[in-house]
Amino acid sequence: MSRTPQNSSTKISSFVLVIIFIGLALSLSALMVALAYFGSGNEVLAGYFLLVGFLGVALSTYVLFQTRRRIMRLKIEIPPVTTTIECRKCGFKSVREFQRGDYIFKEVEPCQKCNDKMLITAIYREVKEKLSP
Ligand SMILES: [Zn+2]
């Protein structure tokens, strides 16, 4: 409960992002060097730098998209907040999604069974345990 995996993973991804941008900058400068070598007529060295540059750009953009996808997945997987409503008279229980303005002991819609007032008794976040294969 006290662990915050989301915080550490966003820290890691920003570190990865910095590395990706450094790689991208290096690849772009390799392409510039390649252009300079083409200008001076050294086509073998130019071809080599061109290859390194393109490989670098391709690799950095690939890693960038992979990281972005992972961050998006993390954002989507926030577990929903659930509100439990209980009838004081007959004990009828109802569970629904948290709605704005919900608080514990708030009186909500009448009971489906006895028409008495119902109270919110619990508000919690449903944490789905991940089963690692
Ligand atoms: Zn009731």
Side-chain angles (χ1 to χ4, degrees):
M1 286 297 257
S2 60
R3 278 187 300 161
T4 47
Q6 254 171 324
N7 273 0
S8 58
S9 59
T10 43
K11 251 179 218 166
I12 289 166
S13 61
S14 61
F15 175 71
V16 169
L17 229 63
V18 169
I19 291 189
I20 291 164
F21 280 116
I22 290 169
L24 209 64
L26 283 174
S27 316
L28 286 174
S29 50
L31 288 175
M32 302 284 231
V33 171
L35 278 178
Y37 274 121
F38 264 123
S40 66
N42 199 334
E43 267 144 30
V44 179
L45 263 174
Y48 171 72
F49 274 103
L50 206 67
L51 191 74
V52 170
F54 272 119
L55 268 175
V57 170
L59 205 73
S60 344
T61 41
Y62 172 76
V63 176
L64 188 72
F65 276 104
Q66 286 293 310
T67 330
R68 258 192 62 170
R69 199 184 293 169
R70 223 186 53 192
I71 294 166
M72 301 275 262
R73 210 182 296 150
L74 271 174
K75 275 184 186 160
I76 291 160
E77 278 185 12
I78 294 169
V81 177
T82 311
T83 302
T84 302
I85 306 157
E86 241 180 289
C87 174
R88 280 179 294 178
K89 212 172 175 185
C90 69
F92 175 75
K93 250 187 186 179
S94 160
V95 175
R96 64 155 166 80
E97 220 172 274
F98 176 80
Q99 278 167 16
R100 215 187 164 89
D102 277 2
Y103 56 87
I104 297 207
F105 301 128
K106 181 193 180 185
E107 282 183 356
V108 284
E109 69 264 33
C111 176
Q112 287 174 30
K113 283 184 178 174
C114 63
N115 234 26
D116 203 53
K117 277 174 187 167
M118 286 175 87
L119 285 182
I120 290 173
T121 53
I123 294 169
Y124 54 93
R125 196 181 283 280
E126 265 186 285
V127 179
K128 283 170 192 159
E129 293 289 326
K130 263 189 195 170
L131 295 168
S132 46

